[in-house]
Amino acid sequence: MRHLKIVLVTLSLVAAVSAVSAQSVVLQIGSNAPVNSPWDIGVKKIAAEWSRVSGGRVKVVFPKSVANSSMEDLIQKLKFTLDGAVLDTSGLGVIDKDVFFLSMPSVIRDDAEFDAAIAAALPILRARLGDRYEIVAVAKAGWIRFFSNRPLRSPEDLRNLRMGVNRNMDALTKVMQSVGVRTVQADSASTLLQFNSGAMDAMYSSPLFVGALWSQYRRVVTHMTGFRVAPFFGAIVMNRRSWDRVPDSLKPALRESAERICREIGSEAARLEDEGIAAMTRNGLQVPPYAEADAEAWNRLFSSTMEGLMADWYSREFTSAVYEAIGR
Amino acid sequence: MRIAVVRALSAASLSMCLATGCALLSAGDYASRAFMRESDPALAEDAFPTMIKAAEAIQLANPGDRDDATLVASLYVMYANAFLEGKAFLLPDEAFEERLALAGRANALYLRAAALLAPFIEAAAPGALGSAVGPDDPVLSRLGRKDVPTLYWTAAAILAAFASDPMDFENAARVSGAMVLFERARSIEPDWNGGALHELAITLYGSLPADLGGDRSKAREAFELAKSATGASSPGAFVAYASSVCVPEGDADGFEQALETALGLPDRPESALMDAIARRKARRLLDDEELYFYLGDI
C-alpha cells in the first residue's frame, strides 16, 4: 500500500511538471511595419526563433487588426490588450520622452556613437519603465536626412524654409524654430499634399521611406542632405504582465535571439539605405557634395542651439549618461 | 492582388491567338481554358510550369511579338500570385523561412514579367511608365483597346512586385507609372475580361498607401462595379473586398458577410480554378478572423 502511494505521488508530480513544461504562452505583438519590409521580416523571424528556442512554448502572433494603427494607437493597445509592440523612435518617445533626445539633430553622429548611446540609455529606461514594460531589443533602422525642394548645402539654407514636423516632437519643433526654420505640422498622410500645395519645402525622413515612395516624391522633392540628422531606430517592447507569463528559464534565450536578429535588421537597413539613396540618385535626386567642414557647420549649429534648450526637455540623468558614453 | 490577376488568363491567351492565328497558339488557348476550368488547384499548380515553358518557347521564336510576351508575362504573374504567394499565405507564421522563400520566388517572377513587357509599353507610348507621366498626359492617348491586356499585366507585375518587396527601389520608382497604366486600361475598357480590372482595383485602392493612390472609397466603388460586371458571381471580388476594405476599416460584420458570400456562390465552370483559389483564401481568412479584428482572447 505504501509503495502504491509513493508511485501515485510520483506520477502526480511528473504529471504536474509535464503540464507546466507543456504550457505554452501566446504573445500578441502589434506591428505597423510595412509588410515585407526589413522590420516586418525581422519581427517575424524573431517570432519563429522564439518558437524554436522555446521548443514551441512561446508562440507569437501578429494581430492584423493593428497593422494600420498609428504609434499612439499601438501604445494604447499595448497598455490594455496587446502583449507587445514594435515601436519606432516616435513611439518610444511617447512612453519615455527622454528617448527623443537621441533623435535630436547632431546628438548622435555615427553608428559607433549610436551603439554607445543605446548601451548607456537602455539600463536607465529599463529601470524607469520596468514596472510597466520590458524593452526586449533595439534595432537600428538607418539615418534621418533632410529632403527638400531646393538645395540645402549649409545650415544657412534652413533659414525661412518651411519644414514639416511631427506634432509629437515639440522639442525638435522648437530647435528648428530657433535656427530660423518655419515649422509646419505634418504627418506621413499629409506630407505629399503639403509639398504639392506649396505649403512645405522640406521634411526630415528616412531614405528608406522616401525611396519606397520615390515614384511620387520625385515630383516634389529634388534634394537630400549629406548631413545625417539623427539615427532612426525601433524596439520590441512587451508589457510587464505579459512578459512575466514567460518562464524565467526561457527569457535569456529569447532576449539573445531578439538582439541577434535586431543586429541583422540594423545591417540590412544600412545596406538598403545605401541602395535606396543610389536608386533615388539614379532617378533624379540630387545630393550636394558634403565635406568635413559642412558636417562641422551642421553639428555646431545644432549643438549650440541644443545646449540652451536641452535642460528644459530631457532629464539630466539621461543626457549626462548619453554624452558620457559618446565622449562629449 | 492574389486572386484578381488570375482571371485575366483567358483574355491574354485570346489576344495572343488573334495576333498570330497559328495552330500551336490555338492549342495554347485551349490549354489555358482547360486550366481555368480546373477545379483542383493542386492539379493546376503541378501542370502550370509546363505551360509556362511551352509559352516561353513560342515567345522565344517571336521575341518581338507583344501578344506572345503578354501571354508569357501573364503566366509568370499568375503562377507567382496563385501558387507561390497563395501557398505562402496559407502557411503558419512559424514556417517563416518557407514563406520568405516563396515570396522571393514570386517577386522574381513578377520582375521577370515586368521586364518582358516594359519595352512594349515604351514602344507604344514612350515615357508612359515613367513617374513624370500623369493620368492626363497626351502620351497615354496612344494606348487603345488592343493594349489593355499588356497594360493590365504590366501594372499587375510591377504592383505585385512592389507588394512583395517594397524596398526594391528600382521597382518602387515605377509604381506611380504602373498605377497610371492601370487607370488608363480601366478608362479604355472598364469591364474588360468580366470585371478583372475592377477586381484588381479593389485590392489596389484598398491596399496602397494614399501617397501612391490608395483610396478606400475608390476600392468600395470598384467592388460595386466588379459585382455589376460579373452579376455578383465572382468569389474573388468578395475576398478582395473583405481583405482590402473590411480589414483596414475594422468592419468584422462586412468581412464575415463578404467571405460567407464568396463561399456560398454557385460554381462557375469556366472559372473554376480562380474560384477554388478564392474560396480557399476565404476559408483561411474566416478561420483567422480573430487575428484581423479582435485582441486579447487568442
Side-chain angles (χ1 to χ4, degrees):
Chain A
M1 191 63 187
R2 186 163 167 262
H3 182 69
L4 180 64
K5 264 188 185 169
I6 290 170
V7 170
L8 285 175
V9 168
T10 308
L11 282 176
S12 62
L13 278 173
V14 169
V17 170
S18 304
V20 169
S21 63
Q23 211 169 39
S24 65
V25 179
V26 179
L27 300 171
Q28 296 186 68
I29 297 184
S31 168
N32 65 4
V35 175
N36 294 323
S37 66
W39 310 286
D40 177 57
I41 291 169
V43 294
K44 285 179 178 151
K45 193 170 179 183
I46 288 171
E49 273 295 281
W50 282 11
S51 175
R52 190 184 65 78
V53 300
S54 69
R57 291 163 69 192
V58 176
K59 182 174 162 58
V60 174
V61 293
F62 298 98
K64 294 171 175 71
S65 56
V66 299
N68 295 309
S69 296
S70 65
M71 273 294 135
E72 289 89 341
D73 285 346
L74 272 184
I75 290 164
Q76 278 306 106
K77 290 181 171 109
L78 177 60
K79 286 177 187 167
F80 301 109
T81 47
L82 284 171
D83 298 308
V86 180
L87 301 182
D88 68 13
T89 315
S90 66
L92 291 166
V94 171
I95 61 172
D96 190 306
K97 77 181 175 89
D98 274 350
V99 174
F100 282 141
F101 174 64
L102 303 173
S103 297
M104 296 303 281
S106 290
V107 169
I108 308 292
R109 298 173 187 175
D110 58 38
D111 289 329
E113 286 193 357
F114 178 80
D115 292 340
I118 284 293
L122 269 181
I124 298 172
L125 294 171
R126 282 181 171 142
R128 272 188 208 163
L129 302 170
D131 60 334
R132 288 170 290 153
Y133 302 112
E134 172 72 22
I135 302 173
V136 179
V138 174
K140 269 184 282 191
W143 290 85
I144 300 291
R145 315 278 186 123
F146 289 130
F147 289 86
S148 57
N149 58 13
R150 64 196 67 181
L152 287 183
R153 289 196 181 83
S154 67
E156 287 72 43
D157 295 328
L158 286 177
R159 205 164 296 282
N160 289 323
L161 195 81
R162 288 164 302 179
M163 172 88 70
V165 289
N166 183 315
R167 64 189 162 84
N168 286 331
M169 298 185 74
D170 291 343
L172 181 62
T173 304
K174 291 204 174 73
V175 166
M176 290 296 175
Q177 288 168 347
S178 67
V179 298
V181 169
R182 293 160 63 190
T183 56
V184 180
Q185 295 260 322
D187 55 40
S188 57
S190 65
T191 302
L192 201 57
L193 281 174
Q194 286 172 293
F195 264 114
N196 267 324
S197 68
M200 193 190 289
D201 304 312
M203 64 177 180
Y204 52 89
S205 190
S206 157
L208 295 179
F209 172 78
V210 181
L213 301 178
W214 186 239
S215 67
Q216 283 294 338
Y217 272 106
R218 67 182 296 178
R219 297 165 196 256
V220 293
V221 165
T222 54
H223 288 77
M224 184 190 85
T225 55
F227 170 60
R228 301 196 298 185
V229 183
F232 182 55
F233 55 97
I236 298 176
V237 178
M238 307 297 298
N239 80 37
R240 174 56 52 198
R241 290 186 310 277
S242 305
W243 188 245
D244 286 347
R245 283 176 19 227
V246 175
D248 287 340
S249 60
L250 294 175
K251 285 175 181 168
L254 301 189
R255 276 203 200 91
E256 187 282 322
S257 57
E259 283 167 0
R260 176 171 43 80
I261 293 166
C262 280
R263 282 194 295 277
E264 291 172 13
I265 295 172
S267 303
E268 178 65 358
R271 185 187 70 76
L272 286 170
E273 189 170 291
D274 289 343
E275 264 186 21
I277 292 169
M280 285 189 284
T281 306
R282 280 194 296 276
N283 288 296
L285 180 72
Q286 295 179 57
V287 186
Y290 183 67
E292 191 61 34
D294 299 313
E296 282 168 19
W298 285 101
N299 290 332
R300 203 167 41 245
L301 170 83
F302 285 116
S303 299
S304 61
T305 311
M306 288 282 293
E307 266 170 33
L309 302 167
M310 205 170 58
D312 294 341
W313 297 321
Y314 307 114
S315 75
R316 188 167 178 75
E317 178 199 21
F318 194 89
T319 56
S320 300
V322 168
Y323 276 146
E324 191 182 334
I326 60 179
R328 211 175 298 148
Chain B
M1 195 75 201
R2 203 155 281 134
I3 292 144
V5 294
V6 180
R7 58 178 300 121
L9 171 62
S10 50
S13 57
L14 181 65
S15 62
M16 179 184 83
C17 284
L18 288 175
T20 58
C22 74
L24 249 185
L25 298 183
S26 295
D29 183 38
Y30 286 127
S32 69
R33 287 185 195 179
F35 265 98
M36 295 308 286
R37 297 179 73 86
E38 177 54 61
S39 60
D40 178 356
L43 195 154
E45 180 180 357
D46 289 345
F48 219 97
T50 308
M51 181 156 172
I52 289 178
K53 286 294 144 192
E56 278 176 348
I58 295 166
Q59 194 265 331
L60 273 176
N62 302 289
D65 188 298
R66 188 186 61 170
D67 298 311
D68 288 356
T70 302
L71 176 63
V72 173
S74 71
L75 294 172
Y76 290 152
V77 175
M78 280 184 287
Y79 183 71
N81 201 256
F83 300 117
L84 298 178
E85 289 207 296
K87 188 186 284 183
F89 177 80
L90 297 174
L91 288 173
D93 284 343
E94 296 84 67
F96 162 79
E97 297 290 349
E98 199 180 339
R99 271 185 159 184
L100 204 58
L102 286 166
R105 284 183 63 202
N107 182 263
L109 284 175
Y110 294 138
L111 292 176
R112 218 195 277 187
L116 194 55
L117 296 182
F120 294 102
I121 297 288
E122 187 59 24
L129 249 180
S131 54
V133 173
D136 303 321
D137 197 289
V139 77
L140 296 174
S141 64
R142 299 184 188 190
L143 299 166
R145 189 173 285 255
K146 68 181 184 340
D147 301 305
V148 169
T150 309
L151 292 175
Y152 175 91
W153 289 109
T154 306
I158 291 170
L159 294 165
F162 179 68
S164 63
D165 183 3
M167 299 286 130
D168 173 349
F169 301 103
E170 288 297 341
N171 185 62
R174 303 187 291 191
V175 166
S176 294
M179 278 304 281
V180 168
L181 295 185
F182 174 75
E183 284 168 350
R184 175 65 185 159
R186 214 162 161 231
S187 71
I188 297 168
E189 198 173 352
D191 291 339
W192 174 73
N193 196 30
L197 286 159
H198 300 312
E199 213 164 286
L200 183 55
I202 301 168
T203 305
L204 293 182
Y205 291 126
S207 310
L208 279 172
D211 282 346
L212 292 176
D215 180 341
R216 278 204 285 282
S217 66
K218 284 188 180 177
R220 254 184 252 104
E221 190 185 318
F223 178 52
E224 294 306 319
L225 290 167
K227 282 194 291 184
S228 166
T230 60
S233 65
S234 166
F238 289 90
V239 174
Y241 177 75
S243 48
S244 303
V245 177
C246 299
V247 170
E249 292 188 344
D251 178 6
D253 291 342
F255 178 86
E256 273 176 36
Q257 199 180 354
L259 295 176
E260 296 290 358
T261 304
L263 290 171
L265 287 171
D267 290 338
R268 298 186 300 169
E270 73 283 3
S271 53
L273 176 60
M274 67 183 186
D275 290 357
I277 291 169
R279 289 195 185 102
R280 190 168 66 175
K281 185 175 181 188
R283 266 183 225 105
R284 178 57 184 266
L285 286 165
L286 276 174
D287 287 346
D288 286 349
E289 184 178 0
E290 75 276 14
L291 276 180
Y292 291 89
F293 297 100
Y294 308 110
L295 292 172
D297 292 318
I298 291 175

